[in-house]
Amino acid sequence: MKKNILIIPGDGIGQEVTTWGKQVLEAVASNYDHEFVFDEAIMGHTAIEATGNPLPDETLEKAKASDAILFGAIGHAKYDNDPSAKVRPEQGLLKIRKELGLYANLRPILLFDELLDASSLKPEVLRGTDILFFRELTGDVYFGEKNRNADNTFASDLMNYHRYEVERIARKAYEAARTRSKKLCSVDKANVLETSRLWREVVQEIAKEYPDVETEHMFIDNAAMQLVKNPKKFDVVLTANLFGDILTDEASQIAGSMGMLASASMGDGTGFFEPIHGSAHDIAGQNKANPLASILSAALMLDIAFGLQKEAKAVTTAVAETLKAGWRTGDIANAETPADKILGTNEMGAKVLEFLTF
């Protein structure tokens, strides 16, 4: 198999962790006789500093020409502390999602037993949790019209959805539910929001096409509570852009750290694979970041984008074996972790490669 893979390191620790996602892909290509051709591009704060544009035209052209994209992270504190900034790193991420038609964000909450004690939740609450989130990615309040009045006393963000946007993400979620436990929970706020009422109506219609899948509807506030109270009750979760952003970050605590969670943004063409963590500039360049989410994002790419399930399984198994052997980065270590078992970014990435057997 020959595939063109674009690496966009992005900002902060993204530039460190994507190194290991790429190295894992190179090892897989070598051992399974695939040909992965890599290219690199800039986006976010790094791109603003270089070109003034968070998504340069050259990056977008490379993205459209690739078979899959491995992305690092985006953002910088200087923009967080300056709400008036007109050009922001996140604009690049939103634009590439729109340009590539990446409407479905898949976030598997993959729980490794070795990290049960890394979560703030009790092990007996967590054990057995296996959730796949489908977050709609190109609609909602993030893309709606934004306004602020002249005297800076009022601001608004338009929350909107089209029927087709709900239909296409719902079908992807139902298809996935059929391959799992045939349970789907759709999360909305239909008791208050008109967009959520449309969302629920459309999901109810799509559900009729999948009579073998059990459908539950839940308000966002209840879902946020249930996620920490009884996460095992969820299997496939379908939700809108804003709600999905919040719920999946909350769910990162189930896995013990954002540094453990991968994601895939899919449409009908090029896939976009990234850790869910941010750019973490406070630890950037210090060899402290956890590379496992980037490595697991590479595994998602192999599985979802290329259909290479055996190769993807080899990568996730290597991560599991690394954890079973007691190796940790600082974010997933605890008081009982021996000091000599706590590794930096590069050392942890190298360990996974050691455990990557074919």
Side-chain angles (χ1 to χ4, degrees):
M1 178 180 287
K2 181 178 180 179
K3 294 293 181 181
N4 296 311
I5 299 173
L6 181 63
I7 308 292
I8 306 180
D11 303 326
I13 63 171
Q15 302 186 30
E16 300 169 64
V17 299
T18 49
T19 295
W20 292 102
K22 179 183 178 183
Q23 287 199 40
V24 164
L25 289 169
E26 288 173 334
V28 166
S30 175
N31 282 275
Y32 285 96
D33 199 27
H34 301 305
E35 184 181 355
F36 294 158
V37 180
F38 295 94
D39 198 357
E40 191 164 310
I42 58 174
M43 191 168 82
H45 168 70
T46 305
I48 294 172
E49 292 290 295
T51 69
N53 184 348
L55 181 62
D57 291 343
E58 182 183 2
T59 298
L60 186 56
E61 289 170 9
K62 287 183 176 183
K64 290 180 176 179
S66 66
D67 294 304
I69 299 164
L70 182 67
F71 178 64
I74 203 162
H76 194 283
K78 68 178 285 187
Y79 305 94
D80 298 338
N81 297 327
D82 182 12
S84 66
K86 300 300 182 185
V87 179
R88 312 180 68 84
E90 293 79 10
Q91 291 168 345
L93 186 58
L94 294 177
K95 184 176 179 181
I96 200 169
R97 288 173 179 170
K98 201 74 170 178
E99 291 287 337
L100 296 180
L102 303 174
Y103 60 82
N105 182 236
L106 284 65
R107 293 192 176 185
I109 307 303
L110 181 61
L111 185 63
F112 293 92
D113 285 346
E114 292 75 24
L115 296 183
L116 285 173
D117 60 357
S119 172
S120 55
L121 300 182
K122 296 176 180 178
E124 58 268 28
V125 173
L126 294 174
R127 188 172 283 108
T129 297
D130 181 7
I131 308 172
L132 179 58
F133 280 91
F134 278 77
R135 168 191 170 193
E136 200 289 323
L137 209 57
T138 59
D140 209 343
V141 70
Y142 291 176
F143 290 93
E145 181 181 343
K146 303 176 188 311
N147 289 296
R148 188 180 296 202
N149 66 357
D151 62 1
N152 210 32
T153 58
F154 172 81
S156 66
D157 297 273
L158 181 63
M159 177 180 281
N160 57 74
Y161 264 114
H162 294 92
R163 174 175 289 271
Y164 78 89
E165 292 174 313
V166 186
E167 289 176 341
R168 64 187 183 182
I169 185 72
R171 285 197 173 93
K172 278 196 177 292
Y174 273 102
E175 290 294 338
R178 273 185 165 169
T179 68
R180 293 167 58 93
S181 67
K182 294 182 170 59
K183 290 174 55 181
L184 181 144
C185 179
S186 177
V187 176
D188 59 36
K189 191 63 176 171
N191 58 335
V192 175
L193 301 175
E194 197 62 36
T195 49
S196 280
R197 294 185 187 112
L198 174 64
W199 180 281
R200 185 171 292 208
E201 289 169 12
V202 174
V203 172
Q204 287 172 335
E205 292 171 10
I206 299 298
K208 295 175 185 176
E209 301 174 18
Y210 300 88
D212 53 322
V213 177
E214 177 187 340
T215 302
E216 179 181 12
H217 297 274
M218 189 176 293
F219 295 144
I220 175 63
D221 40 359
N222 185 29
M225 179 186 70
Q226 294 295 335
L227 194 57
V228 293
K229 181 181 179 182
N230 184 21
K232 290 192 288 288
K233 84 180 303 303
F234 297 104
D235 188 73
V236 171
V237 177
L238 166 66
T239 192
N241 205 345
L242 175 61
F243 300 153
D245 193 0
I246 296 167
L247 286 179
T248 52
D249 280 3
E250 179 190 8
S252 71
Q253 285 308 297
I254 292 173
S257 170
M258 281 189 176
M260 291 301 303
L261 295 183
S263 76
S265 298
M266 305 297 295
D268 299 316
T270 302
F272 191 90
F273 299 84
E274 61 177 313
I276 78 163
H277 61 65
S279 52
H281 279 271
D282 57 325
I283 61 169
Q286 300 175 44
N287 196 37
K288 292 182 178 180
N290 185 344
L292 296 183
S294 185
I295 292 170
L296 291 169
S297 294
L300 274 183
M301 179 189 295
L302 293 168
D303 184 2
I304 296 173
F306 303 156
L308 300 175
Q309 283 82 23
K310 182 170 65 174
E311 290 87 333
K313 179 65 173 176
V315 175
T316 55
T317 298
V319 171
E321 291 301 318
T322 301
L323 296 172
K324 285 179 184 176
W327 301 108
R328 302 287 187 269
T329 45
D331 59 309
I332 53 175
N334 60 30
E336 275 89 56
T337 306
D340 62 354
K341 286 286 189 176
I342 302 176
L343 304 178
T345 308
N346 295 331
E347 293 76 20
M348 183 61 113
K351 281 294 177 187
V352 174
L353 286 179
E354 288 179 20
F355 283 99
L356 191 55
T357 56
F358 305 97

